[in-house]
Amino acid sequence: MNADPTTATVPSVLGPVVDVCADLYRWGWAENHAGNLSYRLTDAELAAFPVSDQARGATFESPFPELAGASFLVTAAGSPFRLLVKEPTRHTGVITISADGSAYTVVWGFDGDKRPTSELPAHLRGHQERAKVEPDNRVIMHCHPTNVVALTHVHPLDEAELTRSLWASNSETILAIPRGVGLLPWMVCGTDLIGIESAAKLREASIVIWACHGVLVAGRSVQDAMGVVESVEKAAKTYLLTRGGDRRSITDDQLRELAAAFGIEPPARFLP
Ligand SMILES: [Zn+2]
């Protein structure tokens, strides 16, 4: 297995995943060990990975029966995205969920005894719930977009108010996140609880903001997921740059005009 993601011997699905992890690092949204990503593989994509001889795996604390038999490309625990791009076979791997959803087996990657991200249960819960409203969803991604995190330090932690502030910052934000954002208060990360609460939010919106921490985002592709993060980050940055003075944001009537022009039906709790 060649570790160079540009060669033809590497499954083609790996390239976009490595690229997006590199971008997240470069933009400062996945510093140090931050950031993790999981990608649900199709059967054809799975077949492109040479099965390794590693018989590693683990049992879940709570099973995922709805994901039985599914396979995921997942980033490794404690792997800096800065290094992932250099050694994807070490810092990513493919797992397959058992027939009863109670355990997983590593079928490729995670060289050097690496393991899937410690946030794996939160990711799998996210995949399980998001698939109920978006059957084509493939990606769950976590990162620390700086301005989004900063916004949660100064903005009221109200889902509708925060969504409106983001929509009102840039005309295209409502197009990128027509269902608004999910918002969770500060919580201890890496716990089952934040995974359960986030998965519930992903039934309503494609992105969940964790106050004073980061985001969990879902998408049909890594580009879709990244696009949502970029749009929300831009809106958050614009909000923060214009905070304090006399602000002239996009009005509610203008938001309704945008929604009508692009066939968007904003949830009434965000835009009455
Ligand atoms: Zn984090």
PDB file of all heavy atoms in Angstrom, residues 34-35 142 144 210 213, ligand 1:
ATOM      1  N   ALA A  34      -7.234  18.258  17.214  1.00  0.00           N
ATOM      2  CA  ALA A  34      -8.666  18.527  17.012  1.00  0.00           C
ATOM      3  C   ALA A  34      -9.117  18.044  15.636  1.00  0.00           C
ATOM      4  O   ALA A  34      -8.331  17.963  14.699  1.00  0.00           O
ATOM      5  CB  ALA A  34      -8.934  20.021  17.139  1.00  0.00           C
ATOM      6  N   GLY A  35     -10.379  17.764  15.541  1.00  0.00           N
ATOM      7  CA  GLY A  35     -10.990  17.401  14.272  1.00  0.00           C
ATOM      8  C   GLY A  35     -11.107  15.900  14.095  1.00  0.00           C
ATOM      9  O   GLY A  35     -10.195  15.149  14.467  1.00  0.00           O
ATOM     10  N   HIS A 142     -16.256  16.844  12.510  1.00  0.00           N
ATOM     11  CA  HIS A 142     -16.152  17.746  13.661  1.00  0.00           C
ATOM     12  C   HIS A 142     -14.896  18.595  13.513  1.00  0.00           C
ATOM     13  O   HIS A 142     -13.822  18.086  13.190  1.00  0.00           O
ATOM     14  CB  HIS A 142     -16.070  16.943  14.962  1.00  0.00           C
ATOM     15  CG  HIS A 142     -15.678  17.784  16.148  1.00  0.00           C
ATOM     16  ND1 HIS A 142     -16.428  18.856  16.571  1.00  0.00           N
ATOM     17  CD2 HIS A 142     -14.607  17.733  16.976  1.00  0.00           C
ATOM     18  CE1 HIS A 142     -15.833  19.422  17.608  1.00  0.00           C
ATOM     19  NE2 HIS A 142     -14.731  18.757  17.874  1.00  0.00           N
ATOM     20  N   HIS A 144     -13.148  22.927  14.634  1.00  0.00           N
ATOM     21  CA  HIS A 144     -13.191  24.104  15.511  1.00  0.00           C
ATOM     22  C   HIS A 144     -13.093  25.399  14.704  1.00  0.00           C
ATOM     23  O   HIS A 144     -12.054  26.084  14.766  1.00  0.00           O
ATOM     24  CB  HIS A 144     -12.035  24.070  16.512  1.00  0.00           C
ATOM     25  CG  HIS A 144     -12.022  22.889  17.433  1.00  0.00           C
ATOM     26  ND1 HIS A 144     -10.950  22.610  18.260  1.00  0.00           N
ATOM     27  CD2 HIS A 144     -12.945  21.935  17.687  1.00  0.00           C
ATOM     28  CE1 HIS A 144     -11.211  21.526  18.973  1.00  0.00           C
ATOM     29  NE2 HIS A 144     -12.421  21.073  18.631  1.00  0.00           N
ATOM     30  N   TRP A 210     -21.481  23.568  18.912  1.00  0.00           N
ATOM     31  CA  TRP A 210     -21.229  23.272  20.326  1.00  0.00           C
ATOM     32  C   TRP A 210     -20.621  24.531  20.944  1.00  0.00           C
ATOM     33  O   TRP A 210     -19.506  24.934  20.564  1.00  0.00           O
ATOM     34  CB  TRP A 210     -20.235  22.111  20.483  1.00  0.00           C
ATOM     35  CG  TRP A 210     -20.712  20.783  19.970  1.00  0.00           C
ATOM     36  CD1 TRP A 210     -21.968  20.452  19.564  1.00  0.00           C
ATOM     37  CD2 TRP A 210     -19.916  19.588  19.811  1.00  0.00           C
ATOM     38  NE1 TRP A 210     -22.007  19.139  19.155  1.00  0.00           N
ATOM     39  CE2 TRP A 210     -20.776  18.584  19.301  1.00  0.00           C
ATOM     40  CE3 TRP A 210     -18.583  19.273  20.047  1.00  0.00           C
ATOM     41  CZ2 TRP A 210     -20.327  17.295  19.021  1.00  0.00           C
ATOM     42  CZ3 TRP A 210     -18.133  17.989  19.769  1.00  0.00           C
ATOM     43  CH2 TRP A 210     -19.000  17.012  19.280  1.00  0.00           C
ATOM     44  N   HIS A 213     -16.756  25.480  21.714  1.00  0.00           N
ATOM     45  CA  HIS A 213     -16.002  24.300  21.306  1.00  0.00           C
ATOM     46  C   HIS A 213     -15.860  24.198  19.781  1.00  0.00           C
ATOM     47  O   HIS A 213     -14.757  24.323  19.259  1.00  0.00           O
ATOM     48  CB  HIS A 213     -16.675  23.044  21.879  1.00  0.00           C
ATOM     49  CG  HIS A 213     -15.941  21.775  21.567  1.00  0.00           C
ATOM     50  ND1 HIS A 213     -16.097  20.622  22.278  1.00  0.00           N
ATOM     51  CD2 HIS A 213     -15.046  21.477  20.583  1.00  0.00           C
ATOM     52  CE1 HIS A 213     -15.312  19.672  21.772  1.00  0.00           C
ATOM     53  NE2 HIS A 213     -14.678  20.169  20.730  1.00  0.00           N
TER      54      HIS A 213
HETATM   55 ZN    ZN B   1     -13.359  19.281  19.343  1.00  0.00          ZN
END
